[in-house]
Amino acid sequence: GAGVSQTPSNKVTEKGKYVELRCDPISGHTALYWYRQSLGQGPEFLIYFQGTGAADDSGLPNDRFFAVRPEGSVSTLKIQRTERGDSAVYLCASSLLRQQNTEAFFGQGTRLTVV
Amino acid sequence: GENVEQHPSTLSVQEGDSAVIKCTYSDSASNYFPWYKQELGKRPQLIIDIRSNVGEKKDQRIAVTLNKTAKHFSLHITETQPEDSAVYFCAVPNNFNKFYFGSGTKLNVKP
Protein backbone atom coordinates (compact mmCIF):
# COMPACT_ATOMS: atom_id res chain seq x y z
CA GLY A 1 0.00 0.00 0.00
CA ALA A 2 0.93 3.64 -0.13
CA GLY A 3 1.50 3.97 3.58
CA VAL A 4 1.31 2.21 6.91
CA SER A 5 -2.25 1.13 7.58
CA GLN A 6 -3.68 0.45 11.03
CA THR A 7 -7.04 -1.03 11.91
CA PRO A 8 -9.30 -0.33 13.59
CA SER A 9 -8.87 3.42 13.84
CA ASN A 10 -10.87 3.45 17.05
CA LYS A 11 -11.63 0.71 19.52
CA VAL A 12 -13.73 0.93 22.63
CA THR A 13 -13.66 -2.10 24.88
CA GLU A 14 -14.73 -3.03 28.37
CA LYS A 15 -12.24 -3.56 31.12
CA GLY A 16 -11.07 -7.17 31.19
CA LYS A 17 -11.68 -7.85 27.50
CA TYR A 18 -9.14 -8.95 24.90
CA VAL A 19 -8.27 -6.75 21.93
CA GLU A 20 -6.21 -7.09 18.77
CA LEU A 21 -4.76 -4.16 16.88
CA ARG A 22 -3.51 -4.64 13.36
CA CYS A 23 -0.70 -2.97 11.43
CA ASP A 24 -0.04 -3.33 7.74
CA PRO A 25 3.39 -1.83 6.97
CA ILE A 26 4.67 -0.40 3.73
CA SER A 27 5.38 -3.22 1.31
CA GLY A 28 9.00 -4.32 1.47
CA HIS A 29 9.75 -2.72 4.83
CA THR A 30 11.51 -5.28 6.97
CA ALA A 31 11.45 -3.38 10.24
CA LEU A 32 8.18 -2.78 12.10
CA TYR A 33 7.74 -0.89 15.36
CA TRP A 34 4.88 -0.46 17.83
CA TYR A 35 4.62 2.64 19.99
CA ARG A 36 2.06 3.81 22.52
CA GLN A 37 1.13 7.46 22.83
CA SER A 38 -0.75 8.71 25.85
CA LEU A 39 -2.49 12.08 25.81
CA GLY A 40 -0.01 14.93 25.79
CA GLN A 41 3.00 12.66 25.59
CA GLY A 42 5.47 11.57 22.98
CA PRO A 43 5.22 8.05 21.57
CA GLU A 44 6.83 5.39 23.74
CA PHE A 45 8.44 2.30 22.29
CA LEU A 46 6.79 -1.06 22.86
CA ILE A 47 8.33 -3.63 20.51
CA TYR A 48 10.01 -3.99 17.17
CA PHE A 49 10.29 -6.73 14.60
CA GLN A 50 12.97 -7.44 12.08
CA GLY A 51 11.24 -9.78 9.68
CA THR A 52 9.16 -12.26 11.64
CA GLY A 53 11.08 -12.12 14.89
CA ALA A 54 10.64 -9.72 17.77
CA ALA A 55 14.11 -8.24 18.03
CA ASP A 56 13.36 -6.04 21.03
CA ASP A 57 10.25 -6.28 23.21
CA SER A 58 11.69 -4.35 26.13
CA GLY A 59 8.97 -1.71 25.95
CA LEU A 60 6.01 -4.02 26.52
CA PRO A 61 4.63 -2.95 29.92
CA ASN A 62 3.71 -6.43 31.18
CA ASP A 63 2.78 -9.92 30.06
CA ARG A 64 -0.75 -8.88 29.08
CA PHE A 65 0.81 -7.38 25.94
CA PHE A 66 2.01 -9.53 23.08
CA ALA A 67 2.70 -8.96 19.40
CA VAL A 68 3.26 -11.19 16.40
CA ARG A 69 4.34 -10.83 12.81
CA PRO A 70 4.08 -14.38 11.48
CA GLU A 71 4.84 -13.74 7.81
CA GLY A 72 7.10 -10.76 8.14
CA SER A 73 4.56 -8.22 6.95
CA VAL A 74 1.32 -7.63 8.89
CA SER A 75 1.67 -7.41 12.66
CA THR A 76 -0.91 -7.78 15.40
CA LEU A 77 -0.61 -6.29 18.86
CA LYS A 78 -2.64 -8.27 21.36
CA ILE A 79 -3.73 -7.03 24.77
CA GLN A 80 -5.31 -9.41 27.27
CA ARG A 81 -7.46 -8.47 30.25
CA THR A 82 -7.47 -4.80 29.26
CA GLU A 83 -7.26 -2.15 31.97
CA ARG A 84 -8.33 1.49 31.90
CA GLY A 85 -4.67 2.47 31.98
CA ASP A 86 -4.18 0.80 28.59
CA SER A 87 -6.22 3.57 26.98
CA ALA A 88 -3.96 5.36 24.52
CA VAL A 89 -3.20 5.70 20.83
CA TYR A 90 -1.19 2.75 19.56
CA LEU A 91 1.05 3.71 16.67
CA CYS A 92 2.77 1.42 14.24
CA ALA A 93 5.78 2.45 12.16
CA SER A 94 7.82 0.71 9.52
CA SER A 95 11.17 1.36 7.91
CA LEU A 96 12.94 -0.17 4.99
CA LEU A 97 15.83 -1.23 7.16
CA ARG A 98 16.35 -1.33 10.86
CA GLN A 99 19.55 0.72 10.80
CA GLN A 100 19.72 4.20 12.14
CA ASN A 101 19.33 6.93 9.53
CA THR A 102 16.40 5.15 7.95
CA GLU A 103 13.19 7.12 7.85
CA ALA A 104 10.35 5.61 9.83
CA PHE A 105 6.81 5.97 8.47
CA PHE A 106 3.93 6.02 10.91
CA GLY A 107 0.42 4.75 10.63
CA GLN A 108 -2.60 6.75 11.67
CA GLY A 109 -2.81 4.88 14.94
CA THR A 110 -5.52 3.00 16.78
CA ARG A 111 -7.19 4.92 19.58
CA LEU A 112 -7.98 2.38 22.28
CA THR A 113 -10.42 3.32 25.01
CA VAL A 114 -11.00 0.92 27.86
CA VAL A 115 -14.17 1.67 29.80
CA GLY B 1 18.52 3.89 26.84
CA GLU B 2 18.58 7.31 25.28
CA ASN B 3 17.35 10.27 27.32
CA VAL B 4 15.69 12.91 25.14
CA GLU B 5 14.49 16.21 26.58
CA GLN B 6 12.48 18.71 24.59
CA HIS B 7 11.71 22.36 25.38
CA PRO B 8 9.47 24.26 25.53
CA SER B 9 6.36 22.17 26.09
CA THR B 10 4.15 24.92 24.66
CA LEU B 11 4.99 27.81 22.40
CA SER B 12 2.69 30.56 21.24
CA VAL B 13 3.83 32.95 18.51
CA GLN B 14 2.27 35.58 16.31
CA GLU B 15 1.88 34.74 12.65
CA GLY B 16 5.03 35.72 10.80
CA ASP B 17 7.29 35.34 13.82
CA SER B 18 9.90 32.60 14.22
CA ALA B 19 9.65 29.56 16.47
CA VAL B 20 12.51 27.54 17.91
CA ILE B 21 12.24 24.18 19.66
CA LYS B 22 15.22 22.49 21.26
CA CYS B 23 16.06 18.90 22.10
CA THR B 24 18.92 17.46 24.06
CA TYR B 25 20.00 13.82 24.04
CA SER B 26 22.37 11.66 26.04
CA ASP B 27 23.93 9.07 23.69
CA SER B 28 26.92 10.59 21.92
CA ALA B 29 26.84 7.73 19.39
CA SER B 30 23.55 8.96 17.91
CA ASN B 31 23.93 10.27 14.38
CA TYR B 32 20.43 10.80 12.98
CA PHE B 33 17.96 13.37 14.27
CA PRO B 34 14.44 13.64 12.83
CA TRP B 35 11.65 16.07 13.66
CA TYR B 36 8.02 15.03 13.41
CA LYS B 37 4.88 17.15 13.17
CA GLN B 38 1.65 15.75 14.54
CA GLU B 39 -1.67 17.45 13.94
CA LEU B 40 -4.59 16.62 16.18
CA GLY B 41 -5.76 13.07 15.57
CA LYS B 42 -3.23 12.50 12.82
CA ARG B 43 -0.10 10.43 12.45
CA PRO B 44 3.37 11.87 13.18
CA GLN B 45 4.91 13.03 9.90
CA LEU B 46 8.58 13.61 9.26
CA ILE B 47 9.21 17.26 8.40
CA ILE B 48 12.97 17.44 8.44
CA ASP B 49 15.94 15.38 9.59
CA ILE B 50 19.66 15.86 9.92
CA ARG B 51 22.61 13.54 10.01
CA SER B 52 25.63 14.10 12.16
CA ASN B 53 27.98 14.93 9.33
CA VAL B 54 26.35 18.36 8.90
CA GLY B 55 25.56 21.14 11.32
CA GLU B 56 22.52 22.64 9.62
CA LYS B 57 19.88 21.73 7.10
CA LYS B 58 17.19 23.92 5.58
CA ASP B 59 13.99 23.21 3.74
CA GLN B 60 12.12 26.39 2.85
CA ARG B 61 10.84 27.86 6.13
CA ILE B 62 12.10 24.98 8.25
CA ALA B 63 15.64 24.38 9.42
CA VAL B 64 17.37 22.09 11.88
CA THR B 65 20.69 22.80 13.56
CA LEU B 66 22.83 20.23 15.32
CA ASN B 67 25.52 20.66 17.95
CA LYS B 68 27.04 17.22 18.49
CA THR B 69 29.50 18.44 21.08
CA ALA B 70 26.74 19.80 23.27
CA LYS B 71 24.36 17.01 22.25
CA HIS B 72 21.47 19.16 21.22
CA PHE B 73 19.55 19.94 18.06
CA SER B 74 16.92 22.52 17.31
CA LEU B 75 14.01 23.05 14.97
CA HIS B 76 13.60 26.52 13.53
CA ILE B 77 10.44 27.66 11.77
CA THR B 78 10.51 31.09 10.17
CA GLU B 79 7.58 33.18 8.95
CA THR B 80 5.17 31.01 10.88
CA GLN B 81 1.67 30.45 9.52
CA PRO B 82 -1.49 29.24 11.26
CA GLU B 83 -1.14 25.86 9.53
CA ASP B 84 2.14 25.36 11.39
CA SER B 85 0.08 24.95 14.57
CA ALA B 86 0.60 21.35 15.74
CA VAL B 87 2.61 19.30 18.18
CA TYR B 88 6.25 18.81 17.20
CA PHE B 89 8.37 15.92 18.41
CA CYS B 90 12.08 15.40 18.18
CA ALA B 91 13.36 11.84 18.08
CA VAL B 92 16.66 10.09 18.48
CA PRO B 93 16.91 6.56 17.08
CA ASN B 94 19.26 3.94 18.42
CA ASN B 95 21.32 1.64 16.20
CA PHE B 96 18.24 -0.38 15.30
CA ASN B 97 16.04 2.60 14.51
CA LYS B 98 14.18 2.32 17.81
CA PHE B 99 13.03 5.89 18.38
CA TYR B 100 13.25 7.77 21.63
CA PHE B 101 10.87 10.71 21.39
CA GLY B 102 10.86 14.00 23.18
CA SER B 103 7.77 14.93 25.15
CA GLY B 104 6.51 17.24 22.42
CA THR B 105 6.01 20.96 21.89
CA LYS B 106 2.57 22.32 21.21
CA LEU B 107 3.01 25.23 18.82
CA ASN B 108 0.19 27.72 18.49
CA VAL B 109 0.49 30.30 15.72
CA LYS B 110 -1.92 33.16 16.29
CA PRO B 111 -3.27 34.86 13.17
Side-chain angles (χ1 to χ4, degrees):
Chain A
V4 178
S5 176
Q6 290 187 247
T7 54
S9 54
N10 280 285
K11 176 72 178 176
V12 180
T13 191
E14 291 181 348
K15 179 175 177 294
K17 298 288 189 183
Y18 167 83
V19 295
E20 289 189 351
L21 312 179
R22 176 189 166 107
C23 172
D24 199 341
I26 293 173
S27 178
H29 281 196
T30 61
L32 184 147
Y33 306 80
W34 283 100
Y35 292 85
R36 179 166 73 174
Q37 187 174 25
S38 300
L39 194 62
Q41 308 272 332
E44 293 181 323
F45 171 80
L46 294 176
I47 184 171
Y48 95 86
F49 291 87
Q50 178 60 33
T52 60
D56 182 348
D57 64 359
S58 61
L60 295 178
N62 52 59
D63 61 6
R64 294 187 297 105
F65 289 74
F66 188 70
V68 296
R69 193 186 185 198
E71 297 177 358
S73 56
V74 171
S75 176
T76 304
L77 178 65
K78 307 181 181 193
I79 311 175
Q80 298 177 323
R81 304 183 304 280
T82 51
E83 299 178 357
R84 292 197 178 87
D86 299 335
S87 297
V89 174
Y90 289 81
L91 292 165
C92 176
S94 71
S95 59
L96 185 59
L97 302 169
R98 69 174 179 177
Q99 286 91 339
Q100 202 182 77
N101 294 357
T102 309
E103 182 178 350
F105 296 83
F106 283 83
Q108 195 86 341
T110 294
R111 181 176 299 277
L112 175 67
T113 304
V114 181
V115 297
Chain B
E2 182 73 77
N3 183 29
V4 181
E5 294 191 357
Q6 183 174 343
H7 300 281
S9 56
T10 59
L11 181 57
S12 189
V13 299
Q14 205 66 40
E15 182 178 359
D17 287 351
S18 294
V20 181
I21 304 169
K22 182 175 176 178
C23 270
T24 61
Y25 60 96
S26 57
D27 186 357
S28 57
S30 300
N31 59 19
Y32 173 63
F33 307 93
W35 282 95
Y36 284 83
K37 176 183 180 182
Q38 188 175 31
E39 296 175 352
L40 191 63
K42 303 274 183 73
R43 73 188 75 199
Q45 292 205 302
L46 179 71
I47 55 170
I48 196 167
D49 55 18
I50 191 168
R51 287 163 176 80
S52 60
N53 57 342
V54 297
E56 182 176 6
K57 181 178 177 181
K58 285 185 180 179
D59 183 2
Q60 300 181 8
R61 296 185 298 106
I62 294 172
V64 53
T65 57
L66 171 65
N67 184 327
K68 279 221 77 179
T69 303
K71 290 189 279 188
H72 66 72
F73 58 110
S74 298
L75 176 69
H76 304 254
I77 307 174
T78 58
E79 301 170 31
T80 53
Q81 301 168 3
E83 52 264 38
D84 294 330
S85 296
V87 179
Y88 292 81
F89 292 99
C90 61
V92 181
N94 72 355
N95 287 344
F96 302 106
N97 229 24
K98 168 182 170 180
F99 279 36
Y100 295 88
F101 283 89
S103 52
T105 297
K106 184 174 182 180
L107 175 64
N108 179 34
V109 180
K110 296 177 284 187

PDB file of all heavy atoms in Angstrom, chain B residues 80-99:
ATOM      1  N   THR B  80       6.189  31.990  10.502  1.00  0.00           N
ATOM      2  CA  THR B  80       5.171  31.015  10.881  1.00  0.00           C
ATOM      3  C   THR B  80       3.787  31.372  10.337  1.00  0.00           C
ATOM      4  O   THR B  80       3.437  32.552  10.198  1.00  0.00           O
ATOM      5  CB  THR B  80       5.090  30.870  12.402  1.00  0.00           C
ATOM      6  OG1 THR B  80       4.926  32.165  12.985  1.00  0.00           O
ATOM      7  CG2 THR B  80       6.320  30.185  12.960  1.00  0.00           C
ATOM      8  N   GLN B  81       3.026  30.313  10.042  1.00  0.00           N
ATOM      9  CA  GLN B  81       1.674  30.446   9.522  1.00  0.00           C
ATOM     10  C   GLN B  81       0.729  29.638  10.402  1.00  0.00           C
ATOM     11  O   GLN B  81       1.166  28.699  11.080  1.00  0.00           O
ATOM     12  CB  GLN B  81       1.639  29.927   8.075  1.00  0.00           C
ATOM     13  CG  GLN B  81       2.587  30.681   7.163  1.00  0.00           C
ATOM     14  CD  GLN B  81       2.788  29.997   5.807  1.00  0.00           C
ATOM     15  OE1 GLN B  81       2.174  28.976   5.511  1.00  0.00           O
ATOM     16  NE2 GLN B  81       3.642  30.593   4.985  1.00  0.00           N
ATOM     17  N   PRO B  82      -0.553  29.981  10.404  1.00  0.00           N
ATOM     18  CA  PRO B  82      -1.488  29.237  11.262  1.00  0.00           C
ATOM     19  C   PRO B  82      -1.450  27.729  11.032  1.00  0.00           C
ATOM     20  O   PRO B  82      -1.614  26.955  11.976  1.00  0.00           O
ATOM     21  CB  PRO B  82      -2.850  29.833  10.877  1.00  0.00           C
ATOM     22  CG  PRO B  82      -2.533  31.228  10.464  1.00  0.00           C
ATOM     23  CD  PRO B  82      -1.195  31.136   9.754  1.00  0.00           C
ATOM     24  N   GLU B  83      -1.177  27.311   9.804  1.00  0.00           N
ATOM     25  CA  GLU B  83      -1.140  25.863   9.534  1.00  0.00           C
ATOM     26  C   GLU B  83       0.093  25.173  10.120  1.00  0.00           C
ATOM     27  O   GLU B  83       0.192  23.938  10.080  1.00  0.00           O
ATOM     28  CB  GLU B  83      -1.223  25.586   8.032  1.00  0.00           C
ATOM     29  CG  GLU B  83      -0.224  26.345   7.196  1.00  0.00           C
ATOM     30  CD  GLU B  83      -0.822  27.621   6.621  1.00  0.00           C
ATOM     31  OE1 GLU B  83      -1.611  28.308   7.320  1.00  0.00           O
ATOM     32  OE2 GLU B  83      -0.479  27.947   5.469  1.00  0.00           O
ATOM     33  N   ASP B  84       1.002  25.955  10.674  1.00  0.00           N
ATOM     34  CA  ASP B  84       2.139  25.359  11.392  1.00  0.00           C
ATOM     35  C   ASP B  84       1.730  24.909  12.796  1.00  0.00           C
ATOM     36  O   ASP B  84       2.490  24.201  13.465  1.00  0.00           O
ATOM     37  CB  ASP B  84       3.290  26.356  11.510  1.00  0.00           C
ATOM     38  CG  ASP B  84       3.911  26.721  10.166  1.00  0.00           C
ATOM     39  OD1 ASP B  84       3.887  25.875   9.247  1.00  0.00           O
ATOM     40  OD2 ASP B  84       4.403  27.864  10.033  1.00  0.00           O
ATOM     41  N   SER B  85       0.547  25.329  13.232  1.00  0.00           N
ATOM     42  CA  SER B  85       0.079  24.948  14.566  1.00  0.00           C
ATOM     43  C   SER B  85      -0.090  23.431  14.635  1.00  0.00           C
ATOM     44  O   SER B  85      -0.798  22.831  13.818  1.00  0.00           O
ATOM     45  CB  SER B  85      -1.249  25.629  14.887  1.00  0.00           C
ATOM     46  OG  SER B  85      -1.101  27.025  14.946  1.00  0.00           O
ATOM     47  N   ALA B  86       0.589  22.816  15.596  1.00  0.00           N
ATOM     48  CA  ALA B  86       0.596  21.351  15.735  1.00  0.00           C
ATOM     49  C   ALA B  86       1.479  21.025  16.931  1.00  0.00           C
ATOM     50  O   ALA B  86       2.016  21.912  17.594  1.00  0.00           O
ATOM     51  CB  ALA B  86       1.157  20.687  14.478  1.00  0.00           C
ATOM     52  N   VAL B  87       1.645  19.744  17.182  1.00  0.00           N
ATOM     53  CA  VAL B  87       2.615  19.298  18.176  1.00  0.00           C
ATOM     54  C   VAL B  87       3.843  18.774  17.427  1.00  0.00           C
ATOM     55  O   VAL B  87       3.713  18.006  16.473  1.00  0.00           O
ATOM     56  CB  VAL B  87       2.040  18.195  19.084  1.00  0.00           C
ATOM     57  CG1 VAL B  87       3.099  17.740  20.095  1.00  0.00           C
ATOM     58  CG2 VAL B  87       0.809  18.707  19.822  1.00  0.00           C
ATOM     59  N   TYR B  88       5.000  19.206  17.845  1.00  0.00           N
ATOM     60  CA  TYR B  88       6.254  18.815  17.204  1.00  0.00           C
ATOM     61  C   TYR B  88       7.048  17.936  18.164  1.00  0.00           C
ATOM     62  O   TYR B  88       7.169  18.240  19.355  1.00  0.00           O
ATOM     63  CB  TYR B  88       7.070  20.056  16.829  1.00  0.00           C
ATOM     64  CG  TYR B  88       6.418  20.853  15.725  1.00  0.00           C
ATOM     65  CD1 TYR B  88       5.380  21.744  16.009  1.00  0.00           C
ATOM     66  CD2 TYR B  88       6.803  20.703  14.397  1.00  0.00           C
ATOM     67  CE1 TYR B  88       4.749  22.457  15.001  1.00  0.00           C
ATOM     68  CE2 TYR B  88       6.179  21.420  13.383  1.00  0.00           C
ATOM     69  CZ  TYR B  88       5.153  22.289  13.698  1.00  0.00           C
ATOM     70  OH  TYR B  88       4.525  22.999  12.695  1.00  0.00           O
ATOM     71  N   PHE B  89       7.566  16.849  17.614  1.00  0.00           N
ATOM     72  CA  PHE B  89       8.369  15.919  18.406  1.00  0.00           C
ATOM     73  C   PHE B  89       9.757  15.783  17.788  1.00  0.00           C
ATOM     74  O   PHE B  89       9.886  15.600  16.574  1.00  0.00           O
ATOM     75  CB  PHE B  89       7.744  14.526  18.418  1.00  0.00           C
ATOM     76  CG  PHE B  89       6.444  14.438  19.161  1.00  0.00           C
ATOM     77  CD1 PHE B  89       5.231  14.468  18.487  1.00  0.00           C
ATOM     78  CD2 PHE B  89       6.420  14.313  20.543  1.00  0.00           C
ATOM     79  CE1 PHE B  89       4.031  14.383  19.157  1.00  0.00           C
ATOM     80  CE2 PHE B  89       5.219  14.226  21.238  1.00  0.00           C
ATOM     81  CZ  PHE B  89       4.031  14.264  20.545  1.00  0.00           C
ATOM     82  N   CYS B  90      10.770  15.818  18.629  1.00  0.00           N
ATOM     83  CA  CYS B  90      12.080  15.400  18.178  1.00  0.00           C
ATOM     84  C   CYS B  90      12.216  13.913  18.499  1.00  0.00           C
ATOM     85  O   CYS B  90      11.493  13.374  19.344  1.00  0.00           O
ATOM     86  CB  CYS B  90      13.180  16.202  18.861  1.00  0.00           C
ATOM     87  SG  CYS B  90      13.231  16.033  20.651  1.00  0.00           S
ATOM     88  N   ALA B  91      13.129  13.260  17.833  1.00  0.00           N
ATOM     89  CA  ALA B  91      13.359  11.842  18.084  1.00  0.00           C
ATOM     90  C   ALA B  91      14.825  11.531  17.873  1.00  0.00           C
ATOM     91  O   ALA B  91      15.505  12.172  17.061  1.00  0.00           O
ATOM     92  CB  ALA B  91      12.489  10.975  17.166  1.00  0.00           C
ATOM     93  N   VAL B  92      15.294  10.564  18.627  1.00  0.00           N
ATOM     94  CA  VAL B  92      16.663  10.087  18.476  1.00  0.00           C
ATOM     95  C   VAL B  92      16.602   8.574  18.377  1.00  0.00           C
ATOM     96  O   VAL B  92      16.195   7.907  19.338  1.00  0.00           O
ATOM     97  CB  VAL B  92      17.545  10.515  19.667  1.00  0.00           C
ATOM     98  CG1 VAL B  92      18.972  10.022  19.458  1.00  0.00           C
ATOM     99  CG2 VAL B  92      17.517  12.025  19.831  1.00  0.00           C
ATOM    100  N   PRO B  93      16.945   8.013  17.220  1.00  0.00           N
ATOM    101  CA  PRO B  93      16.909   6.558  17.078  1.00  0.00           C
ATOM    102  C   PRO B  93      18.197   5.920  17.595  1.00  0.00           C
ATOM    103  O   PRO B  93      19.268   6.535  17.550  1.00  0.00           O
ATOM    104  CB  PRO B  93      16.791   6.349  15.567  1.00  0.00           C
ATOM    105  CG  PRO B  93      16.738   7.705  14.949  1.00  0.00           C
ATOM    106  CD  PRO B  93      17.208   8.694  15.964  1.00  0.00           C
ATOM    107  N   ASN B  94      18.060   4.691  18.069  1.00  0.00           N
ATOM    108  CA  ASN B  94      19.262   3.939  18.420  1.00  0.00           C
ATOM    109  C   ASN B  94      19.758   3.207  17.167  1.00  0.00           C
ATOM    110  O   ASN B  94      19.279   3.437  16.059  1.00  0.00           O
ATOM    111  CB  ASN B  94      19.009   3.002  19.596  1.00  0.00           C
ATOM    112  CG  ASN B  94      18.144   1.803  19.217  1.00  0.00           C
ATOM    113  OD1 ASN B  94      17.634   1.694  18.100  1.00  0.00           O
ATOM    114  ND2 ASN B  94      17.972   0.887  20.160  1.00  0.00           N
ATOM    115  N   ASN B  95      20.709   2.319  17.344  1.00  0.00           N
ATOM    116  CA  ASN B  95      21.317   1.637  16.199  1.00  0.00           C
ATOM    117  C   ASN B  95      20.324   0.825  15.385  1.00  0.00           C
ATOM    118  O   ASN B  95      20.556   0.542  14.214  1.00  0.00           O
ATOM    119  CB  ASN B  95      22.427   0.703  16.669  1.00  0.00           C
ATOM    120  CG  ASN B  95      23.660   1.469  17.099  1.00  0.00           C
ATOM    121  OD1 ASN B  95      23.790   2.651  16.777  1.00  0.00           O
ATOM    122  ND2 ASN B  95      24.537   0.824  17.822  1.00  0.00           N
ATOM    123  N   PHE B  96      19.223   0.446  15.989  1.00  0.00           N
ATOM    124  CA  PHE B  96      18.240  -0.377  15.300  1.00  0.00           C
ATOM    125  C   PHE B  96      16.976   0.416  14.957  1.00  0.00           C
ATOM    126  O   PHE B  96      15.914  -0.157  14.780  1.00  0.00           O
ATOM    127  CB  PHE B  96      17.913  -1.611  16.143  1.00  0.00           C
ATOM    128  CG  PHE B  96      19.119  -2.433  16.433  1.00  0.00           C
ATOM    129  CD1 PHE B  96      19.688  -2.443  17.689  1.00  0.00           C
ATOM    130  CD2 PHE B  96      19.724  -3.166  15.427  1.00  0.00           C
ATOM    131  CE1 PHE B  96      20.826  -3.193  17.952  1.00  0.00           C
ATOM    132  CE2 PHE B  96      20.857  -3.916  15.675  1.00  0.00           C
ATOM    133  CZ  PHE B  96      21.407  -3.925  16.941  1.00  0.00           C
ATOM    134  N   ASN B  97      17.133   1.718  14.893  1.00  0.00           N
ATOM    135  CA  ASN B  97      16.041   2.603  14.511  1.00  0.00           C
ATOM    136  C   ASN B  97      14.890   2.602  15.507  1.00  0.00           C
ATOM    137  O   ASN B  97      13.765   2.933  15.168  1.00  0.00           O
ATOM    138  CB  ASN B  97      15.518   2.273  13.105  1.00  0.00           C
ATOM    139  CG  ASN B  97      15.404   3.519  12.244  1.00  0.00           C
ATOM    140  OD1 ASN B  97      16.075   4.512  12.479  1.00  0.00           O
ATOM    141  ND2 ASN B  97      14.525   3.469  11.264  1.00  0.00           N
ATOM    142  N   LYS B  98      15.166   2.194  16.731  1.00  0.00           N
ATOM    143  CA  LYS B  98      14.182   2.321  17.809  1.00  0.00           C
ATOM    144  C   LYS B  98      14.215   3.777  18.252  1.00  0.00           C
ATOM    145  O   LYS B  98      15.250   4.271  18.688  1.00  0.00           O
ATOM    146  CB  LYS B  98      14.566   1.387  18.938  1.00  0.00           C
ATOM    147  CG  LYS B  98      13.840   1.573  20.253  1.00  0.00           C
ATOM    148  CD  LYS B  98      14.413   0.581  21.268  1.00  0.00           C
ATOM    149  CE  LYS B  98      13.947   0.820  22.672  1.00  0.00           C
ATOM    150  NZ  LYS B  98      14.528  -0.181  23.609  1.00  0.00           N
ATOM    151  N   PHE B  99      13.071   4.458  18.126  1.00  0.00           N
ATOM    152  CA  PHE B  99      13.027   5.894  18.377  1.00  0.00           C
ATOM    153  C   PHE B  99      12.768   6.210  19.839  1.00  0.00           C
ATOM    154  O   PHE B  99      11.875   5.642  20.465  1.00  0.00           O
ATOM    155  CB  PHE B  99      11.895   6.525  17.541  1.00  0.00           C
ATOM    156  CG  PHE B  99      12.260   6.795  16.107  1.00  0.00           C
ATOM    157  CD1 PHE B  99      13.071   5.948  15.398  1.00  0.00           C
ATOM    158  CD2 PHE B  99      11.765   7.919  15.464  1.00  0.00           C
ATOM    159  CE1 PHE B  99      13.405   6.194  14.078  1.00  0.00           C
ATOM    160  CE2 PHE B  99      12.083   8.176  14.138  1.00  0.00           C
ATOM    161  CZ  PHE B  99      12.899   7.313  13.446  1.00  0.00           C
TER     162      PHE B  99
END
